[in-house]
Amino acid sequence: MNKGFTFNIKNICLDENYQPSDNTRITTNFANLARGESRQQNLRNALQMIDNSFNALAFWDNPQGDRYSVELEIISVDMSIESSAEAFPSIEVLKTNIVDHQTKERIEGIVGNNFSSYVRDYDFSVLLGDHNKGQSQFSIPDNFGELHGKLFQYFVNSNAYKQHFKKRPVICLSVSDNKTYQRTENQHPVLGFEYRPNESSLTEQYFKKMGLQVRYFMPPKSVAPLAFYFFGDLLNDYSNLELISTISTMETFQKIYRPEIYNANAVAGNCYQPNLKNSDHSITQIVYDREERNKLAIKQGRFAEEHFIKPYQTVLEQWSANYAV
């Protein structure tokens, strides 16, 4: 069964002319920005914010603050099961590339960044809800996230991944508003001060099944920590410019999606609890429909259930039981 899955990797440039295709996951955050009357201005503003943030962090030998720009690629991964000719849209991530206008060099950045997955939508928006429907106390289904975690690790270890990407992915997410984070004395020149949460979360446990560790850092000039999910050694496996490409990209998106946290007017202190009801924040001039995204997550979770989970349930269960990560 380990030879039963094949992956087809496609990429498209995310620039101000980007328009989501019919089969793009609209819950993907950048796709949400690229819709409606403001689509081109949304994208232009977001990309300019990313470049400004990058140059602010990569300030050495950069006196005018315009040495670098960031190019983004949307990486879409379709997965096929040997017994079926139909490919299933598995995951979508962003890849950064750095353009050094001084040396005319194009530097490969990090793949991962924003992460979205149909099976994860199914797990969180369908399976978890159905499991707790009518229950007086919240609980997690047996083997929650096991299949998704193994599929993700199988992909990262596949020849298809290794042929396209030099390094393993880093995924950058928002901090959780139901946890408290304590600042430590550990400080990295690019990632900033490290924070530690008071407890583990369901998201942490889910990503751990994907083989990913997590550390929380608040970069210089930021107002709140970011969650970095990674394999290996985050601080030593990636260059400063690679890390800055992820920080500038994902903090920009978080300022748009979570302004209450990442565009707050007060900087996180030594003991920090994020607050999505924080009124003391600034709004970017970028239109984003957060309510629509939540509704579509359920819709696309049902799509995964109908077109992947149920039709191949026996095959997937057998593969998951036999695949050792």
Side-chain angles (χ1 to χ4, degrees):
M1 279 304 301
N2 285 3
K3 297 180 180 179
F5 297 102
T6 57
F7 300 100
N8 180 34
I9 300 174
K10 298 174 289 186
N11 67 305
I12 184 172
C13 180
L14 174 57
D15 58 19
E16 66 180 55
N17 298 311
Y18 165 70
Q19 295 192 46
S21 64
D22 292 339
N23 60 354
T24 294
R25 299 181 66 255
I26 299 302
T27 59
T28 304
N29 289 325
F30 45 78
N32 188 290
L33 297 182
R35 301 168 68 209
E37 295 180 1
S38 304
R39 54 166 301 281
Q40 191 169 52
Q41 193 62 45
N42 274 350
L43 291 167
R44 187 179 295 137
N45 289 347
L47 294 169
Q48 186 61 58
M49 286 172 65
I50 291 169
D51 287 349
N52 291 344
S53 176
F54 189 101
N55 283 290
L57 289 171
F59 56 85
W60 57 93
D61 292 336
N62 187 9
Q64 304 301 318
D66 59 358
R67 176 171 175 172
Y68 302 100
S69 59
V70 179
E71 295 179 350
L72 299 176
E73 293 177 78
I74 302 168
I75 308 296
S76 301
V77 183
D78 291 341
M79 184 175 67
S80 298
I81 296 179
E82 199 171 64
S83 58
S84 172
E86 185 178 352
F88 178 75
S90 177
I91 64 173
E92 210 161 52
V93 292
L94 280 181
K95 181 175 182 293
T96 60
N97 297 289
I98 305 148
V99 179
D100 185 335
H101 298 289
Q102 180 172 304
T103 64
K104 310 302 181 186
E105 184 181 7
R106 190 170 184 270
I107 304 161
E108 186 171 349
I110 289 177
V111 64
N113 301 291
N114 189 94
F115 173 81
S116 79
S117 156
Y118 269 107
V119 176
R120 186 176 71 161
D121 276 353
Y122 165 76
D123 282 341
F124 277 94
S125 299
V126 176
L127 179 62
L128 200 57
D130 289 352
H131 176 76
N132 285 283
K133 192 175 295 181
Q135 302 298 315
S136 58
Q137 189 170 357
F138 179 84
S139 64
I140 300 168
D142 292 339
N143 300 321
F144 182 71
E146 291 282 346
L147 173 64
H148 182 268
K150 289 182 177 181
L151 288 172
F152 180 77
Q153 292 188 68
Y154 184 71
F155 168 62
V156 172
N157 291 319
S158 70
N159 288 331
Y161 182 92
K162 293 173 183 176
Q163 287 167 5
H164 282 80
F165 312 113
K166 293 179 181 177
K167 295 186 178 182
R168 291 184 291 182
V170 175
I171 297 166
C172 184
L173 303 180
S174 168
V175 286
S176 171
D177 63 331
N178 58 16
K179 291 200 296 184
T180 301
Y181 299 83
Q182 188 72 40
R183 193 170 81 174
T184 72
E185 294 302 313
N186 189 36
Q187 184 180 17
H188 183 270
V190 165
L191 291 166
F193 278 105
E194 183 166 17
Y195 278 73
R196 292 201 179 123
N198 61 327
E199 60 183 357
S200 178
S201 68
L202 183 56
T203 298
E204 285 183 7
Q205 296 162 25
Y206 193 84
F207 275 77
K208 187 175 182 180
K209 292 184 178 180
M210 296 163 62
L212 296 164
Q213 309 169 61
V214 63
R215 294 178 74 172
Y216 299 88
F217 286 91
M218 186 169 75
K221 306 181 188 304
S222 299
V223 298
L226 291 160
F228 296 87
Y229 288 87
F230 60 94
F231 295 96
D233 186 341
L234 177 67
L235 275 61
N236 292 303
D237 290 348
Y238 304 92
S239 71
N240 283 344
L241 290 182
E242 287 171 338
L243 292 172
I244 290 173
S245 73
T246 284
I247 294 166
S248 59
T249 299
M250 294 313 301
E251 185 176 54
T252 292
F253 285 134
Q254 296 297 357
K255 285 181 178 179
I256 299 166
Y257 314 142
R258 294 283 185 270
E260 302 90 344
I261 296 174
Y262 291 97
N263 226 23
N265 294 324
V267 179
N270 290 336
C271 184
Y272 174 63
Q273 181 166 10
N275 180 11
L276 282 172
K277 296 181 180 179
N278 171 36
S279 60
D280 185 23
H281 67 273
S282 301
I283 301 293
T284 63
Q285 300 300 307
I286 297 174
V287 180
Y288 174 69
D289 193 333
R290 190 152 63 185
E291 183 179 349
E292 180 194 44
R293 185 189 185 281
N294 293 335
K295 292 177 181 177
L296 285 169
I298 299 173
K299 181 179 179 180
Q300 294 185 164
R302 292 292 181 192
F303 175 89
E305 180 181 41
E306 179 182 350
H307 295 277
F308 185 68
I309 300 296
K310 285 187 174 178
Y312 304 108
Q313 185 170 4
T314 301
V315 172
L316 293 170
E317 287 176 352
Q318 290 175 350
W319 177 84
S320 183
N322 292 310
Y323 178 65
V325 293

